[in-house]
Amino acid sequence: MKPEDCLLLVVDDNPDNLKVLRGLLSPPGYKLTFAMGGKQALDRVKKAKPDLILLDLMMPDMDGFQVCEWLKADSNFKDIPLIFLTASQEKDHLLQAFEKGAIDYLTKPFHPPELLARVKTHLELKHLREQSQRQAEKELILLKIIQGIHYSLNLEEILTTTVFSIQGLFDASRVMICRCVSEGEYGIVAIAHSANAKTLPIGETVKIQPLANPESKDRQFKIYYPIGLDRKEVKTQLSVPIYQQNDLWGILIVDRDDISKAWHSPEYEILVRIIEQIAIAIKQSQLYDALQQANQELERLVNVDALTQVANRRYFDQYLEQEWRRLQREALPLSLILCDIDYFKQYNDTYGHIIGDYCLEQVAQALSSILKRPADLIARYGGEEFAAILPNTPLKGAITVAEYMQQAIGDLKIPHMATKLPEPIVTISLGIACVTPTPHSHLIRLLDFADRALYEAKHKGRNRYAIGV
């Protein structure tokens, strides 16, 4: 705290007293403003908001008690230190002054060393209180930032929240988190900026040069800046590397466009604490993503037939029941197609199980390619049998799908010399059923209709479809 950074308001209705106070307070370098009455003092406070007020106790228009009472009632001015100036020695006056909110008093005539000492002491105490308050506010904001970082496992959300929080915390013109892409190249993954600051789009790759930070006394960290930004806009800048274990993951860059706002060690330390939490959040996000991928893979392994890569019987049963309940609520039709490869046992006996497996793969993929809607499902029903679940599909639509399936398998032209059909290729038989689920029906009815239709198609010569009723 420097005297020239402090503005003092001196209030006294006696011009001689004002001259004396000016003579005492000017040499140390304090900035001064004066008022010769209570009302004028309040006008000065509103316009200048001084750091300390020297207030005469007895004034004709509005005494010091009234001025003090008004100031303490206003949240904008209640924390300004107030020293009463008085010629009174009465204890009642002094007690009343402290009750109204004064922090000290001086009796006239003034003893210069005592006056200067008390002014200096109360300015320093005010400065320390404000520092403590600002630090407490920053600690609270820091706590909220850290809580926000750990609130989500979505890395994009975490980084976006962080840059906006840091911008508000440090009144920065621009805050960026850039991820290392290659040596000297970084991709912007999160950015926050003031209305007047130049910005860069998310995902843009920028080149960043490391430079020694001239404002760092300990020289233990480096400054980075993207080439292409107008350096005239950035008066002061601070950056902190983000590491994952020993590898440089990226960089946090904080810009200020006000040359008077130099960076200080406590601010750097706060950023380091934030970065430590970001590094943890990045690791947690990576672990969560890996877990999600593992769970998806596990779910795929549980629900997908290993050979044909379509849904297995377990998932078929689960999905059919799910759709039955859904369409029961909506009173919409549910169609089912059961498919069986014709004379597949003979195919296996002729070509072997390895070729038989390859045949199953080709048939499964051909059947799957026919289903276009996300809700439709093809599954391996068992052995050489496949099943198609067609939600919200009437019988006419199911017949069309069955015809496309039959054609798709025929188009494969897979040789089958052991078939008893005229053309020596792999073919399929299909059973079609369609039911609108009701609270009084059961999906076993749909399965029974489709199974009987499949049996009918095979009984009538195969390579055809039949409709179950």
Side-chain angles (χ1 to χ4, degrees), residues 8-11 18 21-22 32-36 40 44:
L8 310 184
L9 169 61
V10 182
V11 186
L18 293 179
L21 289 166
R22 180 194 292 272
L32 302 173
T33 184
F34 300 92
M36 294 188 68
Q40 189 180 29
R44 290 277 194 277

Side-chain angles (χ1 to χ4, degrees), residues 361-469:
E361 291 178 46
Q362 289 179 284
V363 169
Q365 295 308 309
L367 294 175
S368 181
S369 68
I370 300 302
L371 305 185
K372 306 299 184 184
R373 300 182 308 173
D376 295 343
L377 177 77
I378 191 75
R380 188 177 181 188
Y381 194 65
E384 69 273 19
E385 286 187 319
F386 296 88
I389 300 173
L390 308 173
N392 192 17
T393 303
L395 181 60
K396 184 177 179 181
I399 291 172
T400 301
V401 172
E403 289 173 344
Y404 281 135
M405 286 180 167
Q406 194 170 16
Q407 182 180 342
I409 302 306
D411 290 343
L412 292 175
K413 301 292 183 184
I414 300 173
H416 187 353
M417 302 307 296
T419 184
K420 296 178 182 180
L421 296 172
E423 189 174 4
I425 60 171
V426 169
T427 58
I428 57 172
S429 298
L430 307 98
I432 307 169
C434 180
V435 170
T436 298
T438 69
H440 307 291
S441 62
H442 193 275
L443 61 83
I444 194 71
R445 183 182 174 206
L446 178 66
L447 287 165
D448 185 54
F449 284 165
D451 190 59
R452 281 194 284 171
L454 177 60
Y455 177 81
E456 181 184 344
K458 293 166 70 174
H459 182 70
K460 287 184 176 180
R462 294 180 170 83
N463 191 23
R464 68 191 65 221
Y465 64 82
I467 301 169
V469 291

Side-chain angles (χ1 to χ4, degrees), residues 68 72 98 133 160 177 219 240 323 332 398 413 426 432-433 437 441 448 469:
C68 182
K72 296 306 174 182
F98 286 119
Q133 185 178 354
T160 300
I177 294 178
R219 307 276 176 152
V240 186
E323 290 303 295
L332 294 172
K413 301 292 183 184
V426 169
I432 307 169
S441 62
D448 185 54
V469 291

Side-chain angles (χ1 to χ4, degrees), residues 92-158:
D92 288 345
H93 283 171
L94 299 178
L95 288 174
Q96 190 177 358
F98 286 119
E99 287 173 0
K100 295 294 184 182
I103 58 167
D104 206 346
Y105 72 94
L106 287 165
T107 56
K108 304 173 185 178
F110 308 117
H111 184 51
E114 181 184 7
L115 171 70
L116 293 174
R118 294 197 183 190
V119 167
K120 181 180 179 184
T121 297
H122 290 301
L123 284 171
E124 288 177 345
L125 288 172
K126 176 178 180 286
H127 181 66
L128 289 173
R129 282 196 303 271
E130 290 175 345
Q131 272 192 327
S132 298
Q133 185 178 354
R134 284 194 297 269
Q135 186 61 30
E137 290 172 352
K138 286 187 176 181
E139 288 291 336
L140 181 60
I141 296 173
L142 176 61
L143 179 61
K144 290 181 179 179
I145 292 173
I146 292 173
Q147 288 175 339
I149 287 172
H150 294 288
Y151 179 78
S152 172
L153 288 169
N154 183 303
L155 187 57
E156 180 182 349
E157 181 181 332
I158 290 169

